[in-house]
Amino acid sequence: MNSTLDVLITRAEGRTAPQEEQLHQLVSQTGGRPLGVANLAEAVSALRNCDQPIVLLSEHFDRSSALEMIRLLRQCNRRVRIILLADTDNVSFLRQARSAGIFYHALEPRSEEDLAELKLALHSAVEQCREQQQTRQREHRLWRHLTTALG
């Protein structure tokens, strides 16, 4: 299956245009289709149109609490995989983020090491999405076959 997965990239306060472009390129390299979103309304709209989206969520997106954003994004699409980009070592915050349903926590990429870590997380999320898509397709074919056989 070669379908492209949508990866929403939330605009972060303080992220430069070259850093933004670097994230878009990284998403493309891992097999995703980068979709930049500037605010919550754009993110919600995009999530409603995606089957299994991945979100690169900046800790500082649209002047909202990252924890509230995680909960809201998961309510919009329960299949969403959220990679939280946060430059924090606040253990309590990170526990709450994991509890709210993030897929992975990574630092905002500012070095090659940060980019390599984010690339691995993205690759893992993309592979997981593809595996779930294939499983759903097999289940759909099985149900269709059973319906025809019993019908």
Side-chain angles (χ1 to χ4, degrees):
M1 178 169 167
N2 292 327
S3 68
T4 303
L5 295 167
D6 293 324
V7 179
L8 281 62
I9 302 172
T10 62
R11 193 154 299 131
E13 298 170 16
R15 190 183 296 147
T16 65
Q19 290 170 325
E20 197 76 27
E21 179 57 31
Q22 194 172 39
L23 285 176
H24 282 254
Q25 289 175 1
L26 186 66
V27 166
S28 295
Q29 290 169 6
T30 57
R33 180 173 67 122
L35 301 171
V37 292
N39 55 50
L40 179 59
E42 287 180 13
V44 169
S45 177
L47 281 175
R48 289 187 174 164
N49 295 316
C50 299
D51 181 40
Q52 288 196 60
I54 298 168
V55 176
L56 298 181
L57 176 63
S58 170
E59 179 182 13
H60 305 288
F61 174 60
D62 202 21
R63 301 178 189 196
S64 299
S65 158
L67 296 174
E68 285 302 314
M69 293 297 272
I70 294 164
R71 290 181 185 101
L72 182 61
L73 295 174
R74 293 202 48 78
Q75 285 177 352
C76 291
N77 187 322
R78 62 186 181 87
R79 290 187 185 139
V80 67
R81 282 166 186 77
I82 299 169
I83 298 174
L84 177 63
L85 302 177
D87 293 334
T88 185
D89 58 1
N90 181 325
V91 175
S92 176
F93 169 77
L94 294 174
R95 281 186 182 143
Q96 290 176 44
R98 281 193 298 272
S99 178
I102 65 168
F103 178 79
Y104 192 81
H105 162 250
L107 298 174
E108 271 286 343
R110 302 198 197 300
S111 68
E112 289 301 317
E113 187 176 79
D114 296 342
L115 279 170
E117 179 183 10
L118 180 55
K119 186 174 185 175
L120 285 173
L122 271 168
H123 180 71
S124 177
V126 166
E127 287 304 310
Q128 194 177 82
C129 287
R130 289 203 170 122
E131 287 171 8
Q132 285 188 339
Q133 284 176 335
Q134 290 170 351
T135 298
R136 280 198 323 273
Q137 287 177 344
R138 282 192 299 271
E139 288 171 353
H140 180 73
R141 283 192 301 269
L142 176 62
W143 280 111
R144 199 171 58 224
H145 178 73
L146 286 171
T147 303
T148 303
L150 298 173

